[in-house]
Amino acid sequence: MQLRIGERSLNRRIAEHQEKIRLESEKDSPDRGLIRHWETEICAFEKGIQQALKRLGK
C-alpha cells in the first residue's frame, strides 16, 4: 500500500515538473539549467517508480 502511494506521489511530481518545463520552455529566454535540473529530477522519480514496481513484483 505504501509503495503505491509513493508511486502516485512520484507520478504527480513528474507531471508538475513536466508542466514547469513546458512553461519555462515557452519563455523568450528559457533557463536551460533549470530545465536540465527538472529533467534530472524526473529521471530520479522514474527510477523510484521502477524500484517500487520491482518491489511489488511487477
Side-chain angles (χ1 to χ4, degrees), residues 8-58:
R8 282 193 297 266
S9 174
L10 289 172
N11 278 319
R12 197 168 31 254
R13 299 280 315 272
I14 289 170
E16 290 168 0
H17 278 41
Q18 288 171 333
E19 178 65 6
K20 290 177 187 178
I21 290 169
R22 185 186 69 77
L23 293 172
E24 187 66 29
S25 296
E26 290 176 354
K27 293 181 178 179
D28 289 337
S29 185
D31 184 337
R32 296 289 170 202
L34 191 54
I35 291 171
R36 231 178 351 266
H37 169 74
W38 289 325
E39 289 171 340
T40 300
E41 286 195 335
I42 287 172
C43 287
F45 297 152
E46 289 172 340
K47 186 175 180 179
I49 290 170
Q50 290 305 313
Q51 290 172 341
L53 291 174
K54 188 175 178 181
R55 282 188 227 123
L56 288 170
K58 293 185 178 185

